[in-house]
Structures are given as structure tokens and as C-alpha cells.
Amino acid sequence: MLPWKRVLRPLAALLLATAVAAVPAATAHAADAAPSSGWNDYSCKPSASHPRPVVLVHGTLGNSIDNWLSLAPYLKDRGYCVFSLDYGQLAGVPFFHGLGPIDKSAEQLSAYVDRVLAATGATRADLVGHSQGGLMPRYYLKFLGGADKVNALVGLAPDSHGATLSGLTSLLPYFPGAGDLIKATTPGLADQIPGSGFLTKLNTGGDTVPGVHYTVIATKYDEVATPWRSQYLSGSDVHNVLLQDLCPLDLSEHVAIGLFDRIAFHEVANALDPAHATATTCASAFS
């Protein structure tokens, strides 16, 4: 075996392990299960104050339940109809999703949004995504007609222009065949490597589409979507915010901002209902 091949598989394993470290340990939940907190309730009808259902889009190696054990109840308690989907499943890989080709995952999101709109009677939904969950919906909005069905996309630490894993992906050119191996085994990861064909197609012609409100909530301590400023979007209807500008004491990194950071959650709520937004501060952790 050639020397580079001896390190090829360990490198791919390291990339995968790094991504795994960015999500909590998954537990065995059935897709579309209805947790005791009450989300994924298809009998829920949006109220006049919150007329759009919220669809939560998990990140790489996440799933529809474990990613949202904190944010889904947070929004449900505030009167929203909340839903979450599984996407990007690989055959033989339970619970850890978001690994399939991202364009195909966007097709899954499209079908899911249609299902939610049909069940709730709403004409538009709002999307909230963590990591890849803030990236993948942009393909749906741009290429699959999602802009006609979505009012807002809120991204928590989205890898809008790729996930460098603190520079780790820059080592791939030194290992011939590494990119091909990752693409063959976990195409969803390959699509998120800066310079990929997927990202080039997605970002050509602009980051956003007309008619959708975009919010990006980033943390300067992110170790996955780096440099953190690469998470920001450009466009006429974009609100980019750094979590530490809201609360300098917030130390959340890529995982925490999506899993349990109530300061970030407060800013999500503001993005979903800007007419009734209140200032997000360190005290928002207790709201």
C-alpha cells in the first residue's frame, strides 16, 4: 500500500470524528415522533400572533429530535407550531443523519414543508437550522421553489460558505484520493468542504433570493464553520449577528449555540417575530 493510503482512511475518520464531536450522542427516537414537549403535532393550528409553522432543520450527524430538545420546547412554549424532520440518511446508519448529498436533502425538506403547510393550513413556513441545517435550506429556496413557501430562514452557526473544521479540510490536497473517499462515503460532508461543486453552485449569483428574510446567528468561538465570519450572508434582506455582540460573556461554540444557548434562542424568537422583538442580552439566558 502506498504511504499516502495508510493515512487516507485515518484522515477521513478524523474528519468524521470531528463532525461527530459537534453533535450530542443520539438516542433512539423514531422519525416524526411526538415528544412530550408537544412538537411535531400535526393537529397544531398556527395562531393569529404566530401564523406560520416553524420547521427545525438539524445539522450534520444530527436528527429530528436530539438537535431540538431545548429549542423546540422553547418555541412551543411561546405559542408556535413547531416541526422537525430527518434528512440526509445513509443506508445502515441510524440516528446520525445529514450525510447524504445536500441537494437530495433539500428535496426532502421541500416535501416536508409541503406536508407541514398542508397539515396546518398555513401558506408559508419559517425555517430554523443549525449548521448544515442553515445551509441546506438555501438550496431549497434557490432551486426548488422554496422561496414561495418560506417567509424566513434563521441559521444558527450555518456553514454558509463551507466548513473548514478549524483548517482541517485544508489538509485534504496533501492526501490524494481523500476527497473522493469522503464524497463516496459521506457526500453530505464532501458538499460542505469549501470549494465543492455544491457550494459553488449554491453561492453563484448571490447568497439570497428575493422574498425571504435571512438571519445568521454566529459565535466567534465556532470551531467547525470557520472562520466564523464565513457564516455571514450577503443580501438586501439579511441580518447577520455575532452572539458575543449581544452578550460578551457567552462562550458558546458550534454545538452549544444550537443545542442549549437561550441567548441565541432569544435572538431566534426575535427573527421569527421581529414586530415584537426585544433586546437580546446576557439576561436573555433566564427568559
Side-chain angles (χ1 to χ4, degrees), residues 1-276:
M1 180 180 290
L2 294 175
W4 65 264
K5 288 187 176 181
R6 296 192 184 115
V7 294
L8 177 56
R9 292 189 180 278
L11 177 62
L14 180 57
L15 286 168
L16 186 58
T18 303
V20 171
V23 297
T27 55
H29 291 293
D32 292 336
S36 59
S37 57
W39 88 88
N40 283 341
D41 176 5
Y42 288 89
S43 67
C44 185
K45 300 300 180 183
S47 65
S49 57
H50 297 308
R52 293 177 300 274
V54 177
V55 175
L56 303 178
V57 190
H58 65 73
T60 305
L61 290 163
N63 63 60
S64 62
I65 303 301
D66 296 293
N67 254 93
W68 308 119
L69 292 174
S70 295
L71 181 56
Y74 181 95
L75 295 175
K76 184 69 178 177
D77 290 346
R78 283 156 179 77
Y80 289 92
C81 291
V82 182
F83 301 86
S84 59
L85 79 156
D86 288 304
Y87 70 87
Q89 301 93 327
L90 293 183
V93 182
F95 315 128
F96 298 103
H97 304 317
L99 295 172
I102 298 183
D103 58 347
K104 300 302 181 184
S105 294
E107 293 176 5
Q108 292 178 275
L109 175 62
S110 177
Y112 190 81
V113 170
D114 286 348
R115 176 184 175 187
V116 168
L117 293 181
T120 60
T123 58
R124 282 192 160 196
D126 289 324
L127 307 180
V128 178
H130 179 214
S131 191
Q132 184 190 159
L135 165 70
M136 177 269 280
R138 290 176 48 223
Y139 189 94
Y140 162 56
L141 298 176
K142 193 170 188 177
F143 298 111
L144 302 179
D148 293 331
K149 302 174 183 179
V150 172
N151 169 73
L153 170 62
V154 184
L156 289 160
D159 52 337
S160 304
H161 300 94
T164 64
L165 302 176
S166 297
L168 184 60
T169 57
S170 64
L171 298 177
L172 288 173
Y174 297 99
F175 300 94
D180 291 337
L181 176 62
I182 295 171
K183 186 174 182 178
T185 55
T186 53
L189 292 181
D191 284 344
Q192 294 175 77
I193 295 174
S196 71
F198 172 82
L199 287 172
T200 299
K201 177 180 179 180
L202 178 63
N203 292 318
T204 296
D207 293 343
T208 65
V209 295
V212 179
H213 309 293
Y214 295 82
T215 299
V216 172
I217 305 170
T219 170
K220 68 180 181 180
Y221 300 114
D222 202 301
E223 73 279 28
V224 175
T226 54
W228 63 264
R229 289 185 184 276
S230 69
Q231 299 171 33
Y232 283 179
L233 297 173
S234 297
S236 60
D237 195 352
V238 174
H239 178 53
N240 293 312
V241 59
L242 180 65
L243 193 59
Q244 285 71 35
D245 286 342
L246 306 176
C247 175
L249 301 178
D250 195 317
L251 302 179
S252 290
E253 40 63 71
H254 188 79
V255 180
I257 192 175
L259 265 60
F260 52 76
D261 190 326
R262 292 178 68 91
I263 298 172
F265 294 175
H266 187 272
E267 193 65 10
V268 169
N270 281 346
L272 295 176
D273 188 9
H276 299 94

